[in-house]
Amino acid sequence: MKTQIRTLPLTVTPLTCETLSGYIERLALRNKQSPGTLRRAITHSDNPTHTLARYTGREAHALRQALPELRPDDERDNDAWVRVILGHRSQRPVACSHCTAAAGAPPRVEVHAPRSRVLCRKHRRWIGGPYRRCDLAQQFSIREFPEVITAARRHHRSHRTFGVASTNDAFFAAIRAFDYWAHHGVLRNRAMTDIHRRLHALDVGIDVRFDDPLNHAACYPNTVKLTAIILHARYQLLQHGRDAQPEIITATVNEVALRVLSGIRPTGVGDPLHQALQRDNYDPDDPYCSWGDLSLANSTPPQ
Ligand SMILES: [Zn+2]
């Protein structure tokens, strides 16, 4: 016998890319129901999307659009954007608190996002993203840093040029390189004037911990530049093959020294930049890498 589902009296609007469990919890609490009972009733049903649609009185299509976990399996497999944002299961960022307030939601809402979603462009607030995750109290305004906002725009554009998964992967490599350089004192070098200027403007100075969100924001324009350089180098490696690898790596390290590290040249096999440029470390079949998005035959080399 099928359980009769009654639409709950109070509705809740899902936020874009909100987690399914977070949304069900908000819905349950608003209607004074047990979140666990409602979650089981929905997720253990034959068709969670339609069950949720009946509880909420909302269109199944609209729920699927807002809540990526409800996307069908074939869409998860074939859509790089959905695949990437659902890939960071343990690294879900907290949505911008100004966005949640505007939507009438509680301040703390977890969402799915690619690694590039480090700030809210609408409210100009740093939110950290899945890998650089900030707690709610750690979000801060970046209105005084137009270069950070410009970098976010460039970062977003590289999704279209290189594919979301490849950009995601290269940004991760760039973050790891910056963590390594910060840990080894490279970022304290006097030559790193742009990062130092932003750190002072954020009232922390160069003694900030390397994993502090303020440090991430101060380094972000440089991290985005490094991401683009890594993507470009990988594009060249794919085009020219293993024989060209030493030349491409040397040229890339020189470019990083010139454009990202104010003349400081990263060296050593343990350096994450060198590791990121090793073709052998890069598997095009890895679900996090999406060179399939990029038609090498028909595209022009990215600038
Ligand atoms: Zn916002």
Side-chain angles (χ1 to χ4, degrees):
M1 194 178 78
K2 285 208 164 183
T3 315
Q4 186 69 30
I5 296 175
R6 286 202 183 148
T7 304
L8 294 166
L10 299 173
T11 191
V12 168
T13 306
L15 292 168
T16 305
C17 292
E18 185 170 0
T19 62
L20 181 60
S21 63
Y23 176 65
I24 294 174
E25 183 174 335
R26 289 205 294 129
L27 182 68
L29 294 177
R30 182 110 205 268
N31 286 282
K32 302 196 181 338
Q33 305 265 322
S34 153
T37 307
L38 186 61
R39 188 179 302 119
R40 274 191 298 279
I42 293 165
T43 57
H44 292 185
S45 69
D46 290 343
N47 189 327
T49 306
H50 285 116
T51 307
L52 184 59
R54 290 175 69 183
Y55 274 119
T56 57
R58 291 179 174 273
E59 295 275 339
H61 174 73
L63 287 169
R64 253 190 229 112
Q65 280 298 111
L67 306 167
E69 285 160 86
L70 296 178
R71 303 286 177 92
D73 287 346
D74 60 337
E75 197 176 324
R76 289 182 183 211
D77 291 343
N78 298 325
D79 186 320
W81 179 268
V82 175
R83 207 168 59 220
V84 162
I85 64 172
L86 291 178
H88 309 307
R89 288 185 186 283
S90 58
Q91 303 168 333
R92 290 170 187 145
V94 178
C96 163
S97 58
H98 291 206
C99 285
T100 54
R108 196 179 192 291
V109 175
E110 286 193 356
V111 291
H112 297 283
R115 290 196 177 103
S116 61
R117 188 68 57 74
V118 294
L119 55 89
C120 171
R121 280 194 279 171
K122 184 175 177 190
H123 295 109
R124 309 203 162 191
R125 288 181 69 74
W126 186 262
I127 58 169
Y131 186 60
R132 300 296 218 182
R133 185 181 151 130
C134 291
D135 282 333
L136 199 59
Q138 291 177 307
Q139 296 183 359
F140 55 90
S141 169
I142 45 158
R143 283 183 188 278
E144 307 301 318
F145 304 95
E147 69 270 38
V148 172
I149 294 158
T150 304
R153 219 171 274 133
R154 281 202 189 110
H155 196 174
H156 192 73
R157 270 206 303 270
S158 68
H159 286 150
R160 285 204 298 273
T161 313
F162 294 98
V164 61
S166 301
T167 301
N168 209 50
D169 186 80
F171 183 52
F172 186 56
I175 288 172
R176 287 183 56 222
F178 263 84
D179 282 351
Y180 180 87
W181 297 333
H183 189 70
H184 287 81
V186 173
L187 304 189
R188 288 169 177 262
N189 191 296
R190 282 184 180 192
M192 303 299 296
T193 48
D194 55 342
I195 292 176
H196 293 181
R197 178 179 52 74
R198 286 191 286 272
L199 285 172
H200 285 296
L202 287 163
D203 285 336
V204 276
I206 63 170
D207 291 327
V208 65
R209 278 181 58 102
F210 77 94
D211 55 356
D212 190 312
L214 295 164
N215 188 46
H216 301 158
C219 292
Y220 180 65
N222 307 57
T223 321
V224 171
K225 268 187 212 162
L226 181 58
T227 303
I229 292 170
I230 291 171
L231 283 164
H232 191 253
R234 285 175 167 175
Y235 181 91
Q236 289 186 312
L237 286 166
L238 270 180
Q239 279 198 314
H240 301 294
R242 187 180 287 272
D243 288 349
Q245 190 186 45
E247 198 183 323
I248 291 170
I249 291 179
T250 302
T252 304
V253 170
N254 288 340
E255 190 181 359
V256 170
L258 189 69
R259 291 183 52 213
V260 179
L261 291 177
S262 303
I264 304 164
R265 205 168 178 280
T267 54
V269 288
D271 191 290
L273 174 64
H274 287 264
Q275 291 177 359
L277 297 174
Q278 298 297 321
R279 181 79 171 80
D280 292 345
N281 285 349
Y282 193 68
D283 176 6
D285 293 327
D286 183 319
Y288 285 96
C289 305
S290 67
W291 288 106
D293 291 356
L294 185 65
S295 166
L296 292 173
N298 299 323
S299 58
T300 51
Q303 299 302 306

